[in-house]
């Protein structure tokens, strides 16, 4: 999971507002006569998107016939490559951020498995993108408006167990904050020799101050930080593979001769676990994927994302396998193995750039994630007695920071191995397996019964009255 970009997102019921198309945005790919409606009334923190037909007769599914004008056939155009690429890139940036750039995740779940670890990494990305594809199809085909409705639809008729995803989501995000603080403290120790626990306290206090006074600036810069650390990390991986004294294919051949297929069962299990905890990005993906107006569009976006994520992850595994004997021999070298390898290559400029980008990326993750937590929880009844909004936000932020700092005392490797790992097990049970079994069945049945094979018809007139009249519950037909 990324620790270089926000995971908690700023939208209605967990949907990021930046991923919701604005009311003035170009609506390419939307069926004629349909207009997405975005509520952005002054003073509202969240925006809702609903889709309804401009008039009843216009609810003609793609490829169907307009009954008021039988001679006119309406179709959904093919999804442009750039539109699919932009959606696929969201998942890529959510996965390949600061946490990915440390190398700890790849080392924990794949490197020790040798050649089987490479296969495991590819399978993990396949499982993740297939899961996201089914979630996007279910969300877009039914015109749902929150991830809560999505999971109620998935679990129907057992709607109430939707809380399992809520539990997974918030625990996983808390782990991400703890990992960000721990990663930053570990980096301070590696670069400057700062005591780890003192570093945790220092980073925690800095994140708290930025959350209260500078969250807007950090959020605005987080995207650029994520791009910078990604480019830097990929550069290190590429150089590391070629500069290693142990050729990649020699290492892999020797591992295969030694272990054979003994690690395959563990590799399969790790692939599911990794995909499981990465599913914390699902609320972001369904919100940003609303531009995909057909099953084919959702599939195209996720195949593009699969290629991007698989290449980046496999590159990191390749490099770490080649240098495993080096960074495991260094005290604490496995905490941020990418940094250890970068030091071993003696490229000082690259090491310096990597260190700065990684630190900024990790801190921005903590700030933006906690800010999302605060926006969601400060309105709880227990905080209503606090009249001052800044004081209320500061109290909620401090509580989350203290909790995250306590978890980060366990160390980055333990957080990723056990915290992410156990969340991954839960993610397998409540997200991956349900979407790849029940989700596939429900989507195929719904699309077949409603004639949506060529695209999803969706619309809503731009009136506040419609939003007020729209029911919050998932329509029975959508389940």
């Amino acid at each position: 999971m990324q620790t270089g970009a926000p995971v908690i997102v700023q939208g209605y019921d967990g949907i990021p507002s930046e991923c919701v198309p604005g009311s003035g945005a170009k609506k390419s790919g939307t069926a004629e006569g349909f207009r997405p409606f975005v509520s952005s009334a002054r003073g509202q923190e969240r925006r809702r998107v609903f889709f309804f037909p401009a008039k009843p007769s216009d609810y003609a599914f793609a490829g169907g016939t307009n009954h008021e004008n039988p001679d006119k056939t309406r179709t959904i155009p093919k999804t442009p490559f750039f539109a699919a690429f932009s959606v696929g890139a969201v998942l890529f940036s959510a996965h390949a951020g600061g946490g990915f750039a440390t190398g700890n995740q790849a080392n924990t779940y794949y490197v020790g498995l040798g050649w089987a670890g490479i296969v495991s990494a590819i399978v993990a990305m396949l499982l993740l993108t297939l899961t996201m594809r089914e979630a996007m199809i279910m969300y877009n085909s039914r015109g749902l408006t929150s991830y809560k409705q999505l999971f109620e639809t998935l679990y129907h008729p057992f709607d109430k167990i939707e809380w399992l995803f809520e539990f997974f989501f918030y625990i996983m995000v808390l782990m991400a904050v703890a990992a960000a603080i721990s990663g930053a403290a570990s980096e301070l120790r590696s670069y400057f020799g700062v005591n780890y626990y003192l570093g945790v306290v220092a980073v925690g206090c800095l994140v708290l101050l930025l959350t209260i006074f500078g969250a807007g600036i950090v959020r605005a810069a987080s995207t650029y930080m994520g791009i910078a650390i990604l480019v830097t990390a990929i550069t290190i991986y590429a150089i590391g593979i070629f500069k290693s004294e142990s050729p990649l294919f020699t290492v892999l051949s020797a591992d295969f001769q030694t272990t054979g297929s003994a690690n395959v069962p563990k590799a399969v299990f790790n692939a599911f676990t990794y995909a499981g905890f990465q599913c914390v990005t699902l609320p972001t993906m369904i919100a940003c994927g609303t531009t995909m107006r057909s099953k084919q569009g959702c599939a195209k976006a996720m195949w593009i994302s699969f290629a991007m994520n698989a290449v980046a992850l496999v590159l990191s595994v390749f490099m770490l396998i080649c240098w495993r004997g080096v960074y495991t021999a260094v005290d604490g070298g496995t905490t941020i193995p990418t940094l250890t390898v970068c030091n071993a290559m003696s490229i000082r400029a690259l090491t310096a750039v990597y260190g700065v980008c990684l630190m900024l990326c990790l801190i921005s993750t903590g700030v933006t994630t906690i800010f999302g937590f605060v926006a969601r929880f400060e309105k709880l009844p227990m905080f209503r007695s606090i009249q001052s909004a800044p004081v209320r936000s500061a109290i909620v932020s401090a509580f989350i920071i203290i909790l995250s700092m306590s978890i980060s005392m366990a160390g980055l490797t333990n957080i990723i191995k056990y915290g992410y790992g156990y969340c991954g097990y839960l993610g397998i049970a409540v997200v991956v397996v349900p979407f790849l079994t029940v989700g596939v069945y429900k989507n195929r049945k719904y699309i077949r019964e409603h004639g949506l094979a060529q695209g999803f018809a969706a619309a809503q007139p731009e009136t506040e009255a419609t939003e007020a009249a729209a029911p919050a519950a998932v329509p029975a037909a959508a389940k």
Side-chain angles (χ1 to χ4, degrees), residues 109-110 112-121 123-124 127 259-274 425 428:
Y109 289 96
Y110 303 121
L113 299 175
W115 71 269
I118 297 170
V119 177
S120 180
V123 172
L127 289 170
T259 63
S261 59
N263 290 328
V264 171
K266 179 66 173 176
V268 173
F269 183 72
N270 281 7
F272 273 89
T273 303
Y274 193 88
Y425 304 157
I428 294 171

Side-chain angles (χ1 to χ4, degrees), residues 129-163:
T129 50
L130 289 177
T131 300
M132 294 298 174
R133 183 190 70 176
E134 295 304 323
M136 288 165 57
I137 291 172
M138 183 173 288
Y139 190 82
N140 294 345
S141 64
R142 294 159 176 80
L144 305 180
T145 58
S146 69
Y147 68 75
K148 181 176 182 179
Q149 289 187 0
L150 175 67
F151 281 93
E152 287 176 349
T153 302
L154 175 65
Y155 295 142
H156 185 76
F158 307 103
D159 303 34
K160 298 301 181 182
I161 62 175
E162 177 273 335
W163 65 266

Side-chain angles (χ1 to χ4, degrees), residues 95-384:
H95 166 239
F100 165 84
T102 64
N104 197 304
Q105 291 177 183
N107 182 64
T108 299
Y109 289 96
Y110 303 121
V111 175
L113 299 175
W115 71 269
I118 297 170
V119 177
S120 180
I122 296 173
V123 172
M125 292 300 96
L126 182 62
L127 289 170
L128 177 63
T129 50
L130 289 177
T131 300
M132 294 298 174
R133 183 190 70 176
E134 295 304 323
M136 288 165 57
I137 291 172
M138 183 173 288
Y139 190 82
N140 294 345
S141 64
R142 294 159 176 80
L144 305 180
T145 58
S146 69
Y147 68 75
K148 181 176 182 179
Q149 289 187 0
L150 175 67
F151 281 93
E152 287 176 349
T153 302
L154 175 65
Y155 295 142
H156 185 76
F158 307 103
D159 303 34
K160 298 301 181 182
I161 62 175
E162 177 273 335
W163 65 266
L164 285 174
F165 179 78
E166 299 274 1
F167 177 77
F168 158 78
F169 182 73
Y170 289 116
I171 294 298
M172 187 61 216
V173 169
L174 194 61
M175 291 296 168
V177 177
I181 294 175
S182 178
S186 298
E187 188 180 354
L188 288 175
R189 182 179 60 184
S190 298
Y191 275 91
F192 306 108
V194 177
N195 178 272
Y196 174 76
Y197 301 104
L198 181 61
V200 166
V201 174
V203 172
C205 292
L206 177 60
V207 170
L208 177 60
L209 290 174
L210 289 174
T211 302
I212 298 172
F213 300 109
I217 297 174
V218 174
R219 281 185 295 155
S222 63
T223 300
Y224 303 102
M225 295 178 193
I227 293 172
I229 188 60
L230 179 59
V231 172
T232 306
I234 295 297
T235 301
I236 294 172
Y237 297 152
I239 295 175
I241 292 172
F242 289 104
K243 290 199 67 173
S244 172
E245 295 180 359
S246 303
L248 176 63
F249 292 105
T250 301
V251 174
L252 294 178
S253 176
D255 176 78
F256 182 79
Q257 293 177 4
T258 303
T259 63
S261 59
N263 290 328
V264 171
K266 179 66 173 176
V268 173
F269 183 72
N270 281 7
F272 273 89
T273 303
Y274 193 88
F277 70 72
Q278 290 291 345
C279 284
V280 70
T281 59
L282 188 145
T284 301
M285 287 308 304
I286 59 174
C288 295
T290 54
T291 54
M292 298 296 101
R293 288 294 173 208
S294 68
K295 179 179 179 180
Q296 293 77 11
C298 295
K300 179 187 287 188
M302 289 301 97
W303 280 120
I304 291 171
S305 187
F306 165 73
M308 297 166 66
N309 281 290
V311 168
L313 186 56
V314 168
L315 269 179
S316 70
V317 176
F318 277 165
M319 190 273 285
L320 293 174
I321 285 178
C322 292
W323 290 84
R324 190 183 182 199
V326 175
Y327 68 79
T328 54
V330 177
D331 183 33
T334 57
T335 303
I336 310 181
T338 304
L339 175 59
T340 308
V341 172
C342 201
N343 285 327
M345 289 190 293
S346 301
I347 306 177
R348 294 186 178 181
L350 190 59
T351 303
V353 171
Y354 171 77
V356 172
C357 291
L358 182 61
M359 179 63 71
L360 292 175
C361 219
L362 292 171
I363 291 177
S364 73
T365 294
V367 173
T368 53
T369 305
I370 291 172
F371 187 85
F373 257 126
V374 172
R376 190 172 180 88
F377 288 103
E378 67 177 350
K379 294 179 175 61
L380 292 177
M382 67 180 71
F383 298 114
R384 288 178 182 171

